Amino acid sequence: MKKERKMFSAYTIVFIFLVITGALTWIVPQSVVVSNNGVKEVIYNAVVNDAGEVVKGLGRRPAGIWNILMAPIQGFEKSSSVSIAILMAGAFLGLINSVGAMDAGIGALLKKYTGTTLIAILMFVFAVFGSVFGFWEEIPAFSIVIVPLFVLAGYDVITGLAVLTVGATAGNMASVVNPFSTGAAIGAIGNPELSLGSGMVLRLILFVLLYAIGLFFTVKYANEVKKNKEKSLVANIDVKTMTHEQGHLPELTKKRFWSIMVLIGIIVLLILGYMPWYEIKFADGSNFQDIINAPIYLLAKIPLLGDILGAKYITPLGDWYFGEFSFVFFLGSILIGFINKIPEDKFVKEFASGAKDLLGVVLVLAIANGISVLMGSKTSGMSVTFVYWIQSALQGIPAWAFSVATILAYVGIGCFLQSTSGVAGITMPILGAVAMALFQNSNVGVIGGQIMLISAFTLGINFMSGIYPSATTMGTLELFNVPYDRYLKFVLKIFITMLAAGCILISVSQFLGLI
């Protein structure tokens, strides 16, 4: 009997790219970027010696086994700020799930709302989850409760699956503050002027647009099925509705309610913290950032209380980075512990368990950042050589064409590698530098070009995640005996419409003042 061949894990795939990068150092020479009277130029096949002098013709610097195996360790150091943010988010989610707050919140919505209203609310909830912390692997667990309830309400299995998968995909494709995609991309680009707030307005509008498209198609299909069961894509298939095994969600107690409020508070704080308020300017030269931070400044002036809270050290809203992201999730974890009176030993166990669940993502990110270590920096290394070649090939390309090409490239990459953090680590050091080189002297600017790149990345890679036959997707479909081709028949037109609409929005974002 022939042994079934398994696909490599994300770790192995990214490590293979690391080894390939190491091999390329034996062939591709390094180059350096120098500044002549304020004008940057690339010196091909050159390195900077210990004295700080540019030496031409000695650009080839082969990486040995030591360099290749050391690269992920150095990559871990390089991605430390993103890594701790991911671990803190995981720890918080582990705690809030352990007290049953999210399940209870979903259960309360299911009891209170029905029909189109319920579809709209639940899709929005799952879209927000996708946009904030990359909701996807959790779909099978939620489907056991969500799908049977939609079947009992007169819809079909596809409707229930759509609420979960279409909602999550819309949120993931926008990834407003998702640390696993947007955060990983920003960290991999390595531009200190970029934060999770960069391009947030564009991503918020993208979120609303994609959610609206997904909701329109899902409601249209759901209403047709409710009127005529023969319209169901699985009408002639013996699907498992699991209505006889319908899970019972926990009761929404006062403690669980306030736990959900903590989660909502974190989401609001993240948006307030990363929104570039300083861009809203007034005639007198001041900006909205001063107004929104006024309570913090006032608190810092209150004797004793301000010192106890450390108010004068609070990062102003609008200037947040990964440290503040980690802080709010850490604070949220502590609040969840107090609200639910979790014993110290259980709190530590659940906190560590939640962080442990996302350790794999951190390790993939470390290996991926190891690739950028071998590639070099934005001013010297093999990366500059690739940027030089790509820039020469794309010289004069308009921003809209760059964004379209990048989106399509990430759709293609998503066919082979599903790890968003891994893809970001592999591609962003190069493409981020390409965007810098292409647009530094244009109206788009360096930051604008990199913002378009990041949104193109989240749109393209997460579009592919929505249709890719991953363990999550196939496992969920198997639960209800829904053929993969029927699932694709439903979601493909929705996701392609989302992709096209997102592509247009990102392409014209420069003309709309969104970057």
Side-chain angles (χ1 to χ4, degrees):
M1 184 176 178
K2 191 175 180 181
K3 188 176 180 181
E4 186 180 349
R5 193 172 180 182
K6 293 183 179 180
M7 281 190 68
F8 287 132
S9 67
Y11 305 100
T12 303
I13 293 172
V14 177
F15 191 80
I16 289 171
F17 275 97
L18 178 70
V19 173
I20 291 171
T21 304
L24 287 174
T25 62
W26 291 71
I27 305 168
V28 180
Q30 296 188 18
S31 300
V32 297
V33 176
V34 297
S35 181
N36 289 326
N37 299 319
V39 178
K40 294 180 178 179
E41 71 173 285
V42 174
I43 299 180
Y44 178 74
N45 191 17
V47 294
V48 178
N49 63 18
D50 295 337
E53 300 169 333
V54 176
V55 182
K56 299 180 181 179
L58 297 175
R60 196 166 283 106
R61 287 288 189 272
I65 294 175
W66 169 274
N67 308 90
I68 292 172
L69 295 182
M70 180 61 80
I73 298 168
Q74 296 170 324
F76 185 82
E77 295 173 356
K78 185 177 179 181
S79 62
S80 59
S81 59
V82 182
S83 297
I84 192 66
I86 290 171
L87 292 177
M88 287 299 102
F92 172 82
L93 293 173
L95 278 168
I96 200 169
N97 281 327
S98 72
V99 299
M102 288 174 65
D103 289 343
I106 297 296
L109 290 174
L110 291 170
K111 290 177 183 177
K112 189 171 183 180
Y113 299 100
T114 58
T116 301
T117 303
L118 181 62
I119 293 173
I121 292 174
L122 284 179
M123 276 193 69
F124 181 77
V125 169
F126 294 127
V128 169
F129 286 174
S131 213
V132 173
F133 56 82
F135 178 87
W136 190 257
E137 284 80 8
E138 300 85 354
I139 284 177
F142 277 97
S143 70
I144 296 172
V145 174
I146 300 296
V147 173
L149 284 168
F150 273 101
V151 172
L152 291 172
Y155 299 102
D156 68 345
V157 168
I158 293 291
T159 303
L161 292 174
V163 168
L164 285 159
T165 58
V166 176
T169 301
N172 283 320
M173 287 173 76
S175 285
V176 179
V177 289
N178 185 350
F180 310 110
S181 51
T182 303
I186 291 169
I189 287 175
N191 185 347
E193 295 182 21
L194 278 178
S195 74
L196 277 172
S198 304
M200 180 177 280
V201 175
L202 169 61
R203 295 195 296 275
L204 281 170
I205 294 174
L206 184 61
F207 173 86
V208 173
L209 176 64
L210 300 182
Y211 166 73
I213 292 171
L215 180 63
F216 170 78
F217 279 102
T218 302
V219 169
K220 182 174 179 290
Y221 172 82
N223 288 338
E224 287 176 353
V225 169
K226 196 167 188 177
K227 290 178 183 176
N228 183 1
K229 293 295 186 290
E230 294 301 314
K231 295 279 187 179
S232 173
L233 289 172
V234 291
N236 59 340
I237 297 173
D238 185 22
V239 295
K240 299 175 184 175
T241 62
M242 298 186 74
T243 51
H244 60 290
E245 299 174 4
Q246 184 184 334
H248 294 284
L249 291 168
E251 180 188 353
L252 184 61
T253 60
K254 188 178 290 187
K255 289 179 181 179
R256 287 174 178 147
F257 170 80
W258 285 111
S259 296
I260 294 171
M261 289 300 103
V262 170
L263 174 60
I264 293 173
I266 286 175
I267 294 171
V268 171
L269 268 177
L270 289 176
I271 293 173
L272 292 176
Y274 288 109
M275 185 72 74
W277 302 110
Y278 47 81
E279 292 185 0
I280 305 175
K281 297 174 181 168
F282 303 111
D284 61 359
S286 62
N287 58 63
F288 195 73
Q289 189 174 28
D290 297 326
I291 296 175
I292 199 167
N293 283 291
I296 298 174
Y297 300 147
L298 180 63
L299 189 63
K301 294 177 182 178
I302 300 175
L304 190 59
L305 179 62
D307 292 328
I308 292 173
L309 295 175
K312 64 182 177 182
Y313 301 108
I314 296 175
T315 306
L317 298 174
D319 291 338
W320 283 23
Y321 206 61
F322 289 112
E324 290 74 21
F325 184 99
S326 301
F327 170 83
V328 293
F329 275 105
F330 183 45
L331 176 62
S333 298
I334 294 171
L335 291 175
I336 293 294
F338 276 115
I339 290 170
N340 293 278
K341 297 179 180 178
I342 302 175
E344 182 269 344
D345 57 337
K346 185 180 178 183
F347 176 87
V348 172
K349 180 182 177 182
E350 296 295 344
F351 184 89
S353 177
K356 183 183 70 176
D357 288 342
L358 295 182
L359 184 60
V361 177
V362 172
L363 293 176
V364 169
L365 189 59
I367 301 171
N369 271 281
I371 294 172
S372 67
V373 169
L374 294 179
M375 292 292 293
S377 68
K378 61 184 178 183
T379 57
S380 66
M382 193 166 63
S383 57
V384 177
T385 302
F386 281 117
V387 170
Y388 176 71
W389 288 341
I390 296 172
Q391 182 190 4
S392 299
L394 300 178
Q395 195 69 43
I397 187 174
W400 69 265
F402 173 76
S403 62
V404 172
T406 308
I407 290 167
L408 295 177
Y410 278 116
V411 169
I413 291 170
C415 294
F416 306 100
L417 183 58
Q418 282 291 293
S419 170
T420 53
S421 54
V423 172
I426 291 169
T427 62
M428 284 297 161
I430 294 295
L431 290 181
V434 169
M436 176 182 288
L438 286 176
F439 303 120
Q440 61 182 339
N441 297 318
S442 71
N443 294 331
V444 174
V446 172
I447 298 298
Q450 291 178 339
I451 286 172
M452 293 178 75
L453 170 64
I454 291 165
S455 287
F457 157 67
T458 62
L459 189 76
I461 198 72
N462 286 301
F463 161 81
M464 201 63 218
S465 294
I467 63 175
Y468 190 82
S470 63
T472 296
T473 302
M474 301 309 290
T476 306
L477 295 178
E478 178 65 25
L479 281 173
F480 302 96
N481 197 35
V482 174
Y484 177 60
D485 65 312
R486 300 299 174 97
Y487 168 78
L488 273 186
K489 187 175 181 180
F490 176 75
V491 300
L492 204 54
K493 62 182 177 183
I494 303 176
F495 294 164
I496 288 176
T497 305
M498 285 182 177
L499 185 71
C503 188
I504 293 170
L505 178 62
I506 295 169
S507 299
V508 302
S509 58
Q510 58 178 315
F511 306 113
L512 300 177
L514 300 178
I515 58 172

